Coordinates of all heavy atoms in Angstrom, one line a residue:
M1233 N 37.5 -4.3 -9.7 CA 36.7 -5.0 -8.8 C 36.2 -4.0 -7.7 O 34.9 -4.2 -7.2 CB 37.6 -6.1 -8.0 CG 36.9 -6.9 -7.1 SD 35.8 -8.0 -8.0 CE 35.3 -9.1 -6.8
I1234 N 36.8 -3.0 -7.2 CA 36.4 -2.2 -6.3 C 35.2 -1.3 -6.9 O 34.2 -1.2 -6.1 CB 37.4 -1.2 -5.8 CG1 38.5 -2.0 -5.0 CG2 36.9 0.0 -5.0 CD1 39.7 -1.2 -4.6
A1235 N 35.2 -1.0 -8.2 CA 34.1 -0.3 -8.8 C 32.8 -1.0 -8.7 O 31.8 -0.6 -8.4 CB 34.5 0.2 -10.1
S1236 N 33.1 -2.3 -9.1 CA 31.8 -3.2 -9.1 C 31.2 -3.4 -7.8 O 30.0 -3.5 -7.5 CB 32.1 -4.4 -9.9 OG 32.9 -5.2 -9.1
T1237 N 32.1 -3.5 -6.8 CA 31.7 -3.7 -5.3 C 30.9 -2.3 -4.9 O 29.9 -2.6 -4.3 CB 32.9 -4.0 -4.4 OG1 33.5 -5.2 -5.0 CG2 32.3 -4.2 -3.0
S1238 N 31.4 -1.4 -5.4 CA 31.0 0.0 -4.9 C 29.6 0.2 -5.6 O 28.6 0.6 -5.0 CB 31.8 1.1 -5.3 OG 31.2 2.3 -5.0
A1239 N 29.5 -0.3 -6.9 CA 28.1 -0.1 -7.6 C 27.1 -1.0 -7.0 O 26.1 -0.6 -6.9 CB 28.4 -0.5 -9.1
A1240 N 27.5 -2.3 -6.6 CA 26.7 -3.1 -5.9 C 26.2 -2.6 -4.6 O 24.9 -2.7 -4.3 CB 27.2 -4.6 -5.8
A1241 N 27.0 -1.9 -3.8 CA 26.6 -1.4 -2.6 C 25.7 -0.2 -2.8 O 24.7 -0.1 -2.1 CB 27.9 -1.0 -1.9
D1242 N 26.0 0.6 -3.9 CA 25.1 1.6 -4.2 C 23.7 1.2 -4.5 O 22.6 1.7 -4.1 CB 25.6 2.5 -5.3 CG 26.8 3.3 -4.7 OD1 27.0 3.5 -3.5 OD2 27.5 3.8 -5.8
E1243 N 23.6 0.1 -5.4 CA 22.3 -0.5 -5.8 C 21.5 -1.0 -4.6 O 20.3 -0.7 -4.6 CB 22.6 -1.6 -6.8 CG 21.3 -2.3 -7.4 CD 21.6 -3.4 -8.4 OE1 22.8 -3.9 -8.4 OE2 20.8 -3.7 -9.1
V1244 N 22.3 -1.6 -3.7 CA 21.6 -2.0 -2.5 C 21.1 -0.9 -1.6 O 20.0 -0.9 -1.2 CB 22.6 -3.0 -1.7 CG1 22.0 -3.2 -0.4 CG2 22.8 -4.3 -2.4
D1245 N 21.9 0.1 -1.6 CA 21.4 1.3 -0.6 C 20.3 2.0 -1.3 O 19.3 2.3 -0.6 CB 22.6 2.3 -0.5 CG 23.8 1.8 0.3 OD1 23.6 0.8 1.0 OD2 24.8 2.4 0.2
V1246 N 20.2 2.0 -2.6 CA 19.0 2.6 -3.4 C 17.8 1.8 -3.0 O 16.8 2.3 -2.8 CB 19.4 2.7 -4.9 CG1 18.1 3.2 -5.6 CG2 20.5 3.9 -5.0
A1247 N 18.1 0.4 -3.3 CA 16.9 -0.5 -3.1 C 16.4 -0.5 -1.6 O 15.2 -0.5 -1.4 CB 17.3 -1.9 -3.4
M1248 N 17.2 -0.4 -0.7 CA 16.8 -0.3 0.7 C 16.1 0.9 1.0 O 15.0 1.1 1.7 CB 18.0 -0.4 1.6 CG 18.7 -1.8 1.6 SD 17.7 -3.1 2.4 CE 17.4 -2.5 4.1
A1249 N 16.6 2.1 0.6 CA 15.8 3.3 0.6 C 14.5 3.3 0.0 O 13.5 3.9 0.6 CB 16.6 4.5 0.1
A1250 N 14.4 2.8 -1.2 CA 13.1 2.6 -1.9 C 12.2 1.9 -1.1 O 11.1 2.2 -1.0 CB 13.3 2.1 -3.3
A1251 N 12.7 0.7 -0.6 CA 11.7 -0.1 0.2 C 11.3 0.6 1.5 O 10.0 0.5 1.8 CB 12.6 -1.4 0.6
E1252 N 12.2 1.2 2.2 CA 11.7 2.1 3.4 C 10.6 3.0 2.9 O 9.7 3.1 3.8 CB 12.9 2.7 4.0 CG 12.6 3.4 5.2 CD 13.7 4.0 6.0 OE1 14.9 4.3 5.3 OE2 13.6 4.4 7.2
R1253 N 10.9 3.9 1.9 CA 9.9 4.8 1.6 C 8.5 4.2 1.1 O 7.5 4.7 1.4 CB 10.4 5.6 0.3 CG 11.4 6.7 0.6 CD 11.7 7.6 -0.6 NE 12.1 6.9 -1.8 CZ 13.3 6.5 -2.1 NH1 14.3 6.8 -1.3 NH2 13.5 5.8 -3.2
A1254 N 8.7 3.0 0.4 CA 7.4 2.3 0.1 C 6.6 1.8 1.3 O 5.4 1.9 1.4 CB 7.7 1.2 -1.0
V1255 N 7.3 1.3 2.3 CA 6.7 0.8 3.4 C 6.1 1.9 4.3 O 4.9 1.8 4.7 CB 7.7 0.0 4.3 CG1 7.1 -0.3 5.8 CG2 8.1 -1.3 3.6
L1256 N 6.8 3.1 4.3 CA 6.2 4.2 5.1 C 4.9 4.8 4.3 O 4.0 5.1 5.0 CB 7.3 5.3 5.2 CG 8.5 5.0 6.2 CD1 9.6 6.0 6.1 CD2 7.9 4.7 7.6
A1257 N 5.0 4.8 3.1 CA 3.9 5.3 2.2 C 2.7 4.4 2.4 O 1.5 4.8 2.5 CB 4.3 5.4 0.7
A1258 N 2.9 3.1 2.4 CA 1.8 2.1 2.6 C 1.2 2.2 4.0 O 0.1 2.1 4.2 CB 2.4 0.7 2.2
E1259 N 2.2 2.3 5.1 CA 1.6 2.6 6.4 C 0.7 3.8 6.4 O -0.3 3.8 7.2 CB 2.8 2.7 7.4 CG 3.5 1.5 7.6 CD 4.8 1.6 8.4 OE1 5.2 2.7 8.6 OE2 5.2 0.6 9.0
A1260 N 1.1 4.9 5.7 CA 0.2 6.1 5.7 C -1.1 5.9 5.1 O -2.1 6.7 5.5 CB 1.1 7.3 5.1
A1261 N -1.1 5.0 4.3 CA -2.4 4.7 3.6 C -3.5 3.9 4.5 O -4.6 3.8 4.2 CB -2.2 3.9 2.3
Q1262 N -2.9 3.6 5.7 CA -3.8 2.9 6.7 C -4.5 1.8 6.2 O -5.7 1.6 6.1 CB -4.8 3.8 7.3 CG -4.1 4.9 8.1 CD -5.2 5.8 8.7 OE1 -6.2 6.1 8.3 NE2 -4.5 6.8 9.5
P1263 N -3.7 0.6 5.6 CA -4.4 -0.4 4.9 C -5.1 -1.4 5.9 O -4.7 -1.4 7.1 CB -3.2 -1.1 4.2 CG -2.1 -0.8 5.0 CD -2.3 0.6 5.6
R1264 N -6.2 -2.0 5.4 CA -7.0 -3.0 6.1 C -7.0 -4.2 5.3 O -6.9 -4.2 4.1 CB -8.3 -2.5 6.5 CG -8.2 -1.2 7.5 CD -9.6 -0.9 7.9 NE -10.5 -0.6 6.9 CZ -10.9 0.5 6.3 NH1 -10.3 1.7 6.9 NH2 -11.6 0.7 5.3
G1265 N -7.3 -5.4 5.9 CA -7.7 -6.7 5.2 C -6.4 -7.0 4.4 O -5.4 -7.2 5.0
Q1266 N -6.6 -7.4 3.1 CA -5.6 -8.0 2.4 C -4.5 -6.9 2.2 O -3.3 -7.3 2.0 CB -6.1 -8.3 0.8 CG -6.8 -9.5 0.9 CD -7.4 -9.9 -0.5 OE1 -7.4 -9.0 -1.4 NE2 -7.8 -11.1 -0.6
A1267 N -4.9 -5.7 2.2 CA -3.8 -4.7 2.1 C -2.9 -4.5 3.2 O -1.7 -4.4 3.2 CB -4.5 -3.2 1.8
A1268 N -3.5 -4.8 4.4 CA -2.7 -5.0 5.6 C -1.8 -6.1 5.7 O -0.7 -6.0 6.1 CB -3.6 -4.8 6.9
Q1269 N -2.3 -7.3 5.0 CA -1.5 -8.4 5.0 C -0.3 -8.1 4.1 O 0.9 -8.6 4.4 CB -2.2 -9.6 4.6 CG -3.3 -10.0 5.5 CD -4.2 -11.1 4.8 OE1 -4.3 -11.4 3.7 NE2 -5.0 -11.7 5.8
A1270 N -0.5 -7.6 2.9 CA 0.7 -7.1 2.1 C 1.7 -6.3 2.7 O 2.8 -6.4 2.5 CB 0.1 -6.5 0.8
L1271 N 1.3 -5.3 3.5 CA 2.0 -4.4 4.3 C 2.9 -5.2 5.2 O 4.0 -5.0 5.4 CB 1.2 -3.3 4.9 CG 2.1 -2.3 5.9 CD1 3.2 -1.7 5.1 CD2 1.2 -1.4 6.5
E1272 N 2.3 -6.1 6.0 CA 3.0 -6.9 7.0 C 4.1 -7.7 6.2 O 5.2 -7.9 6.7 CB 2.1 -7.8 7.8 CG 1.3 -7.0 8.8 CD 2.2 -6.2 9.7 OE1 3.2 -6.8 10.2 OE2 1.9 -5.0 10.0
Q1273 N 3.7 -8.3 5.1 CA 4.7 -9.0 4.4 C 5.9 -8.1 3.9 O 7.1 -8.5 4.1 CB 4.2 -9.6 3.1 CG 5.1 -10.6 2.3 CD 4.3 -11.3 1.2 OE1 3.2 -10.9 1.0 NE2 5.1 -12.2 0.6
A1274 N 5.6 -6.9 3.5 CA 6.5 -6.0 3.0 C 7.5 -5.6 4.2 O 8.6 -5.4 4.1 CB 6.0 -4.7 2.5
R1275 N 6.9 -5.3 5.3 CA 7.6 -4.9 6.6 C 8.5 -5.9 6.9 O 9.8 -5.7 7.3 CB 6.7 -4.5 7.7 CG 7.3 -3.8 8.8 CD 6.4 -3.5 9.9 NE 5.5 -2.4 9.5 CZ 4.1 -2.5 9.7 NH1 3.5 -3.5 9.9 NH2 3.5 -1.3 9.2
G1276 N 8.1 -7.2 6.9 CA 8.9 -8.4 7.2 C 10.1 -8.5 6.3 O 11.3 -8.8 6.8
Q1277 N 9.8 -8.4 5.1 CA 11.0 -8.4 4.0 C 11.9 -7.4 4.2 O 13.2 -7.6 4.1 CB 10.3 -8.3 2.6 CG 9.5 -9.7 2.2 CD 8.7 -9.5 1.0 OE1 8.1 -8.4 0.7 NE2 8.6 -10.6 0.4
W1278 N 11.5 -6.1 4.4 CA 12.2 -5.0 4.7 C 13.2 -5.2 5.9 O 14.4 -5.0 5.9 CB 11.5 -3.7 4.8 CG 12.4 -2.5 5.1 CD1 13.4 -2.1 4.1 CD2 12.3 -1.5 6.0 NE1 13.9 -0.9 4.6 CE2 13.4 -0.6 5.9 CE3 11.7 -1.5 7.3 CZ2 13.6 0.4 6.6 CZ3 11.8 -0.5 8.1 CH2 12.7 0.5 7.8
L1279 N 12.6 -5.7 7.0 CA 13.4 -6.0 8.2 C 14.4 -7.0 7.9 O 15.5 -7.0 8.4 CB 12.4 -6.4 9.4 CG 11.7 -5.3 9.9 CD1 10.6 -5.8 10.9 CD2 12.4 -4.1 10.5
S1280 N 14.0 -8.2 7.1 CA 15.0 -9.2 6.9 C 16.1 -8.6 5.9 O 17.3 -9.2 6.2 CB 14.2 -10.3 6.1 OG 13.3 -11.0 7.0
A1281 N 15.7 -7.8 5.1 CA 16.8 -7.1 4.3 C 17.8 -6.4 5.1 O 19.0 -6.4 4.8 CB 16.2 -6.3 3.2
Q1282 N 17.3 -5.8 6.1 CA 18.3 -5.0 7.0 C 19.2 -6.0 7.8 O 20.4 -5.5 8.0 CB 17.5 -4.1 8.1 CG 16.7 -3.0 7.5 CD 15.9 -2.2 8.4 OE1 15.3 -2.8 9.3 NE2 15.9 -1.0 8.3
E1283 N 18.7 -7.1 8.2 CA 19.5 -8.1 9.0 C 20.5 -8.9 8.1 O 21.4 -9.4 8.7 CB 18.5 -8.9 9.8 CG 17.8 -8.1 10.7 CD 16.7 -8.8 11.4 OE1 16.5 -10.1 11.2 OE2 16.0 -8.3 12.3
T1284 N 20.1 -9.1 6.9 CA 21.0 -10.1 6.1 C 22.3 -9.4 5.7 O 22.4 -8.2 5.5 CB 20.1 -10.7 4.9 OG1 20.9 -11.7 4.4 CG2 20.0 -9.5 3.8
R1285 N 23.3 -10.2 5.5 CA 24.6 -9.8 5.2 C 24.8 -9.8 3.6 O 25.5 -8.9 3.2 CB 25.7 -10.6 5.9 CG 25.6 -10.5 7.4 CD 26.7 -9.6 7.9 NE 26.6 -9.6 9.4 CZ 26.5 -8.4 10.0 NH1 26.4 -7.4 9.5 NH2 26.6 -8.5 11.5
R1286 N 24.5 -10.9 3.0 CA 24.7 -11.0 1.6 C 24.0 -9.9 0.7 O 22.8 -9.7 0.9 CB 24.2 -12.4 1.2 CG 25.1 -13.4 1.7 CD 24.8 -14.7 1.0 NE 24.7 -14.8 -0.4 CZ 24.1 -15.8 -1.1 NH1 23.6 -16.8 -0.5 NH2 24.1 -15.7 -2.4
K1287 N 24.7 -9.3 -0.1 CA 24.2 -8.1 -0.8 C 23.1 -8.6 -1.8 O 22.1 -8.0 -2.0 CB 25.3 -7.5 -1.6 CG 26.1 -6.6 -0.8 CD 27.3 -5.9 -1.5 CE 28.2 -5.2 -0.5 NZ 29.3 -4.6 -1.2
S1288 N 23.3 -9.8 -2.3 CA 22.2 -10.3 -3.4 C 21.0 -10.6 -2.6 O 19.9 -10.2 -3.2 CB 22.7 -11.5 -4.1 OG 23.0 -12.6 -3.1
D1289 N 21.0 -11.1 -1.4 CA 19.8 -11.4 -0.6 C 19.1 -10.0 -0.2 O 18.0 -10.0 -0.2 CB 20.1 -12.2 0.6 CG 20.5 -13.7 0.3 OD1 20.1 -14.0 -0.8 OD2 21.1 -14.4 1.1
K1290 N 19.9 -9.2 0.3 CA 19.6 -7.8 0.8 C 18.8 -7.0 -0.4 O 17.7 -6.6 -0.2 CB 20.8 -7.0 1.2 CG 20.5 -5.9 2.0 CD 21.7 -5.0 2.4 CE 22.3 -5.6 3.7 NZ 21.6 -5.2 5.0
L1291 N 19.4 -7.2 -1.6 CA 18.8 -6.5 -2.8 C 17.4 -7.1 -3.1 O 16.5 -6.5 -3.3 CB 19.8 -6.6 -3.9 CG 19.2 -6.0 -5.3 CD1 19.0 -4.5 -5.1 CD2 20.2 -6.1 -6.3
R1292 N 17.4 -8.5 -3.2 CA 16.2 -9.3 -3.5 C 15.2 -8.9 -2.5 O 14.0 -8.7 -2.8 CB 16.5 -10.8 -3.5 CG 15.2 -11.7 -3.9 CD 15.7 -13.2 -3.8 NE 16.5 -13.6 -2.5 CZ 15.7 -13.8 -1.4 NH1 14.4 -13.5 -1.2 NH2 16.4 -14.2 -0.3
L1293 N 15.5 -8.9 -1.1 CA 14.4 -8.7 -0.2 C 13.9 -7.2 -0.2 O 12.8 -7.0 0.1 CB 14.9 -9.1 1.2 CG 15.1 -10.5 1.6 CD1 16.1 -10.7 2.8 CD2 13.7 -11.1 1.8
A1294 N 14.8 -6.4 -0.4 CA 14.3 -4.9 -0.5 C 13.5 -4.7 -1.7 O 12.5 -4.0 -1.5 CB 15.7 -4.0 -0.5
E1295 N 13.8 -5.3 -2.8 CA 13.0 -5.1 -4.0 C 11.5 -5.9 -3.8 O 10.6 -5.3 -4.2 CB 13.7 -5.8 -5.1 CG 14.8 -4.8 -5.7 CD 15.6 -5.6 -6.8 OE1 15.5 -6.7 -7.1 OE2 16.4 -4.8 -7.5
A1296 N 11.6 -6.9 -3.2 CA 10.2 -7.5 -2.8 C 9.5 -6.6 -1.9 O 8.3 -6.6 -1.9 CB 10.5 -9.0 -2.2
A1297 N 10.3 -6.2 -0.8 CA 9.5 -5.3 0.2 C 8.9 -4.1 -0.5 O 7.8 -3.9 -0.2 CB 10.5 -4.9 1.3
A1298 N 9.7 -3.6 -1.4 CA 9.1 -2.3 -2.1 C 7.8 -2.7 -3.0 O 6.8 -2.0 -2.9 CB 10.1 -1.7 -3.0
A1299 N 7.8 -3.9 -3.7 CA 6.8 -4.3 -4.4 C 5.6 -4.6 -3.6 O 4.5 -4.2 -3.9 CB 7.2 -5.5 -5.3
N1300 N 5.8 -5.2 -2.5 CA 4.6 -5.7 -1.7 C 4.0 -4.4 -1.0 O 2.9 -4.3 -0.7 CB 5.0 -6.7 -0.6 CG 5.0 -8.0 -1.2 OD1 4.0 -8.4 -1.8 ND2 6.2 -8.9 -0.9
A1301 N 5.0 -3.4 -0.6 CA 4.4 -2.2 0.0 C 3.6 -1.5 -1.0 O 2.6 -0.8 -0.6 CB 5.6 -1.3 0.6
D1302 N 4.1 -1.5 -2.2 CA 3.3 -0.7 -3.4 C 2.1 -1.4 -3.5 O 1.1 -0.6 -3.7 CB 4.1 -0.7 -4.7 CG 5.4 0.3 -4.6 OD1 5.4 1.1 -3.7 OD2 6.2 0.2 -5.5
L1303 N 1.9 -2.7 -3.4 CA 0.7 -3.5 -3.6 C -0.2 -3.0 -2.4 O -1.4 -2.8 -2.6 CB 1.1 -4.9 -3.6 CG -0.3 -5.9 -3.6 CD1 -1.1 -5.6 -4.8 CD2 0.2 -7.2 -3.5
A1304 N 0.3 -3.0 -1.3 CA -0.5 -2.7 0.0 C -1.1 -1.2 -0.2 O -2.3 -1.1 0.1 CB 0.3 -2.7 1.3
Q1305 N -0.2 -0.4 -0.7 CA -0.8 1.0 -0.8 C -1.8 1.1 -1.9 O -2.8 1.7 -1.7 CB 0.4 2.0 -1.2 CG -0.1 3.4 -1.3 CD 1.0 4.4 -1.5 OE1 2.0 4.0 -2.2 NE2 0.9 5.6 -1.3
A1306 N -1.6 0.4 -2.9 CA -2.6 0.4 -4.1 C -3.9 -0.2 -3.6 O -5.0 0.3 -3.9 CB -2.1 -0.4 -5.2
R1307 N -3.9 -1.3 -2.9 CA -5.1 -2.0 -2.4 C -5.8 -1.1 -1.3 O -7.0 -1.1 -1.4 CB -4.7 -3.4 -1.7 CG -4.4 -4.4 -2.7 CD -4.3 -5.7 -2.1 NE -4.2 -6.7 -3.1 CZ -3.7 -8.0 -2.9 NH1 -3.2 -8.4 -1.7 NH2 -3.7 -9.0 -3.9
A1308 N -5.0 -0.4 -0.6 CA -5.6 0.5 0.4 C -6.4 1.6 -0.3 O -7.5 2.1 0.1 CB -4.5 1.0 1.3
R1309 N -5.6 2.2 -1.3 CA -6.3 3.3 -2.1 C -7.6 2.7 -2.8 O -8.6 3.4 -2.9 CB -5.4 3.9 -3.1 CG -4.3 4.7 -2.4 CD -3.2 5.2 -3.3 NE -3.7 5.6 -4.6 CZ -2.9 5.6 -5.8 NH1 -1.6 5.2 -5.6 NH2 -3.4 6.1 -6.8
L1310 N -7.5 1.5 -3.3 CA -8.6 0.9 -4.0 C -9.8 0.7 -3.0 O -11.0 1.0 -3.3 CB -8.4 -0.4 -4.6 CG -9.4 -1.2 -5.3 CD1 -10.1 -0.4 -6.4 CD2 -8.9 -2.4 -5.7
D1311 N -9.5 0.2 -1.8 CA -10.5 0.1 -0.8 C -11.1 1.4 -0.4 O -12.3 1.5 -0.2 CB -10.0 -0.5 0.5 CG -9.5 -2.0 0.3 OD1 -10.0 -2.6 -0.7 OD2 -8.8 -2.6 1.0
A1312 N -10.3 2.4 -0.2 CA -10.9 3.8 0.1 C -11.9 4.3 -1.0 O -12.8 4.9 -0.8 CB -9.7 4.8 0.3
A1313 N -11.3 3.9 -2.3 CA -12.2 4.5 -3.4 C -13.5 3.7 -3.4 O -14.6 4.3 -3.6 CB -11.5 4.3 -4.7
R1314 N -13.5 2.5 -3.1 CA -14.7 1.7 -3.1 C -15.6 2.1 -1.9 O -16.7 2.3 -2.1 CB -14.4 0.2 -2.8 CG -13.9 -0.5 -4.2 CD -13.6 -2.0 -3.9 NE -13.2 -2.5 -5.2 CZ -12.5 -3.8 -5.2 NH1 -12.1 -4.4 -4.1 NH2 -12.3 -4.2 -6.5
E1315 N -15.0 2.4 -0.8 CA -15.9 2.9 0.3 C -16.5 4.3 -0.1 O -17.8 4.5 0.2 CB -15.1 3.2 1.5 CG -14.7 1.9 2.2 CD -13.7 2.1 3.5 OE1 -13.6 3.1 3.9 OE2 -13.1 1.1 3.8
E1316 N -15.7 5.2 -0.7 CA -16.3 6.5 -1.2 C -17.4 6.3 -2.1 O -18.5 6.9 -2.1 CB -15.2 7.3 -1.8 CG -15.7 8.7 -2.3 CD -16.0 9.6 -1.2 OE1 -15.6 9.4 -0.1 OE2 -16.8 10.5 -1.4
V1317 N -17.2 5.3 -3.1 CA -18.3 5.1 -4.1 C -19.7 4.5 -3.4 O -20.7 4.9 -3.7 CB -17.8 4.1 -5.2 CG1 -18.9 3.5 -6.0 CG2 -16.8 4.8 -6.0
E1318 N -19.4 3.6 -2.6 CA -20.5 3.1 -1.8 C -21.3 4.1 -0.9 O -22.5 4.1 -0.8 CB -20.1 1.9 -0.9 CG -19.7 0.6 -1.6 CD -19.1 -0.4 -0.8 OE1 -19.0 -0.3 0.5 OE2 -18.6 -1.5 -1.3
S1319 N -20.5 5.0 -0.3 CA -21.1 6.0 0.5 C -21.9 7.0 -0.4 O -23.0 7.4 0.0 CB -19.9 6.7 1.3 OG -20.5 8.0 1.8
R1320 N -21.3 7.3 -1.5 CA -22.0 8.2 -2.5 C -23.3 7.6 -3.1 O -24.3 8.2 -3.3 CB -21.1 8.8 -3.6 CG -20.2 9.8 -2.9 CD -19.2 10.3 -3.9 NE -18.2 11.2 -3.4 CZ -17.6 12.2 -4.0 NH1 -17.9 12.4 -5.3 NH2 -16.7 12.8 -3.3
A1321 N -23.1 6.3 -3.3 CA -24.3 5.5 -3.9 C -25.4 5.4 -2.9 O -26.6 5.7 -3.1 CB -23.9 4.1 -4.3
A1322 N -25.0 5.4 -1.6 CA -26.1 5.2 -0.5 C -26.6 6.7 -0.5 O -28.0 6.8 -0.2 CB -25.4 4.8 0.7
R1323 N -26.0 7.6 -0.4 CA -26.5 9.1 -0.4 C -27.5 9.3 -1.6 O -28.5 10.0 -1.4 CB -25.3 10.1 -0.3 CG -25.8 11.5 -0.3 CD -24.8 12.4 0.2 NE -25.0 13.8 0.0 CZ -26.0 14.5 0.5 NH1 -26.9 14.0 1.3 NH2 -26.2 15.7 0.4
N1324 N -27.0 8.9 -2.7 CA -27.8 9.2 -3.9 C -29.2 8.4 -3.8 O -30.1 8.9 -4.2 CB -27.2 8.7 -5.2 CG -26.0 9.6 -5.6 OD1 -26.1 10.8 -5.1 ND2 -25.2 9.2 -6.4
A1325 N -29.1 7.1 -3.3 CA -30.3 6.4 -3.1 C -31.3 7.1 -2.1 O -32.6 7.1 -2.3 CB -29.9 4.9 -2.6
D1326 N -30.7 7.7 -1.1 CA -31.5 8.3 0.1 C -32.1 9.6 -0.6 O -33.3 9.8 -0.4 CB -30.6 8.8 1.2 CG -31.3 9.4 2.2 OD1 -32.4 8.7 2.7 OD2 -30.9 10.4 2.6
L1327 N -31.3 10.3 -1.4 CA -31.9 11.5 -2.1 C -33.0 11.2 -3.1 O -34.0 11.8 -3.1 CB -30.8 12.3 -2.8 CG -29.7 13.0 -1.9 CD1 -28.6 13.4 -2.7 CD2 -30.4 14.1 -1.2
R1328 N -32.8 10.1 -3.8 CA -33.8 9.6 -4.8 C -35.2 9.4 -4.0 O -36.3 9.6 -4.4 CB -33.4 8.4 -5.6 CG -32.5 8.7 -6.7 CD -32.4 7.5 -7.6 NE -31.2 7.7 -8.3 CZ -30.0 7.2 -8.1 NH1 -29.8 6.3 -7.0 NH2 -29.0 7.4 -8.9
R1329 N -35.0 8.5 -2.9 CA -36.1 8.1 -2.0 C -36.9 9.4 -1.5 O -38.1 9.5 -1.6 CB -35.7 7.3 -0.8 CG -36.8 6.8 0.0 CD -36.4 6.0 1.2 NE -35.3 6.8 2.1 CZ -35.7 7.8 2.9 NH1 -36.8 8.2 2.9 NH2 -34.6 8.4 3.6
R1330 N -36.1 10.4 -1.0 CA -36.7 11.7 -0.5 C -37.5 12.4 -1.6 O -38.5 13.0 -1.4 CB -35.6 12.6 0.0 CG -35.0 12.1 1.4 CD -34.0 13.0 1.9 NE -33.3 12.5 3.0 CZ -32.6 13.2 3.8 NH1 -32.2 14.5 3.4 NH2 -32.0 12.6 5.0
L1331 N -36.8 12.4 -2.8 CA -37.5 13.1 -3.9 C -38.8 12.5 -4.2 O -39.7 13.2 -4.6 CB -36.7 13.2 -5.2 CG -35.5 14.1 -5.2 CD1 -34.6 13.9 -6.5 CD2 -36.0 15.5 -5.3
L1332 N -38.8 11.1 -4.2 CA -40.1 10.4 -4.6 C -41.1 10.6 -3.5 O -42.3 10.8 -3.8 CB -39.8 8.9 -4.7 CG -39.0 8.5 -5.9 CD1 -38.7 7.0 -5.9 CD2 -39.8 8.7 -7.2
V1333 N -40.7 10.7 -2.3 CA -41.6 11.0 -1.1 C -42.2 12.4 -1.3 O -43.4 12.6 -1.1 CB -41.0 10.7 0.2 CG1 -41.8 11.3 1.4 CG2 -40.6 9.3 0.4
N1334 N -41.4 13.4 -1.7 CA -41.8 14.8 -1.8 C -42.8 15.0 -3.1 O -43.6 15.7 -3.0 CB -40.6 15.7 -1.9 CG -39.9 15.8 -0.5 OD1 -40.5 15.7 0.5 ND2 -38.7 16.3 -0.6
R1335 N -42.6 14.3 -4.1 CA -43.4 14.3 -5.1 C -44.8 13.7 -4.8 O -45.8 14.2 -5.5 CB -42.8 13.4 -6.3 CG -41.7 14.1 -7.0 CD -41.3 13.3 -8.3 NE -40.1 14.0 -8.8 CZ -39.4 13.3 -9.8 NH1 -39.6 12.2 -10.2 NH2 -38.4 14.0 -10.2
E1336 N -44.8 12.8 -3.9 CA -46.2 12.2 -3.6 C -46.9 13.2 -2.8 O -48.1 13.0 -2.7 CB -46.0 10.8 -3.0 CG -45.4 9.8 -3.9 CD -45.1 8.5 -3.3 OE1 -45.4 8.4 -1.9 OE2 -44.6 7.6 -4.0
N1337 N -46.2 13.9 -2.0 CA -47.0 14.9 -1.1 C -47.4 16.1 -1.8 O -47.5 16.8 -2.5 CB -46.1 15.3 0.0 CG -45.8 14.1 1.0 OD1 -46.7 13.2 1.1 ND2 -44.7 14.0 1.6

C-alpha cells in the first residue's frame, strides 16, 4: 500500500511540475485573444490543483492545466506566424508596386 501511495504522489508531483512548466512556457509566448483565454484557464486549473487535497483531483487539474497551457502556447505561436506571413505579404505587395512604378518611368 505504501508503494502505491508513493507512486501516486510521484505521479502527482510530475504532473504538477509539468503543468507549471507548461504555464510558464505559455506565458513566455505572450498570448493574446483566444490564446490568452486558454492561458488564463490553464493558470486557474494549475492554481486549483495546488489548493486541492485529493490526489485524483490534483492530478486531473494539473493534466488539464498542462493541456490548456500547451494549447495557449500553440495558439500564440500560430498567431505570431500569421502576423509574420501578413507582414511579409504586405512587404511583397509594396515591393511589387514599386517595381511596377519603376518600370513605367
Side-chain angles (χ1 to χ4, degrees):
M1233 184 72 173
I1234 293 174
S1236 66
T1237 302
S1238 177
D1242 288 345
E1243 184 180 16
V1244 169
D1245 290 343
V1246 167
M1248 289 295 292
E1252 181 178 19
R1253 282 191 306 273
V1255 168
L1256 292 173
E1259 287 173 345
Q1262 300 175 342
R1264 295 186 307 259
Q1266 289 182 341
Q1269 291 172 351
L1271 174 58
E1272 285 305 311
Q1273 185 175 9
R1275 191 179 290 125
Q1277 290 166 325
W1278 182 60
L1279 292 172
S1280 293
Q1282 289 177 324
E1283 294 172 1
T1284 192
R1285 298 262 187 232
R1286 288 183 54 193
K1287 289 179 183 175
S1288 61
D1289 291 341
K1290 194 177 273 284
L1291 180 62
R1292 179 183 52 80
L1293 286 164
E1295 289 173 345
N1300 280 312
D1302 288 346
L1303 175 62
Q1305 184 179 22
R1307 283 185 172 165
R1309 288 174 43 207
L1310 177 61
D1311 290 344
R1314 283 183 177 153
E1315 287 177 16
E1316 180 69 21
V1317 167
E1318 289 172 6
S1319 173
R1320 289 183 183 204
R1323 177 157 166 69
N1324 286 344
D1326 183 52
L1327 290 172
R1328 279 189 204 99
R1329 184 186 51 76
R1330 288 180 186 189
L1331 284 172
L1332 290 173
V1333 167
N1334 286 338
R1335 283 185 187 168
E1336 292 173 1
N1337 291 332

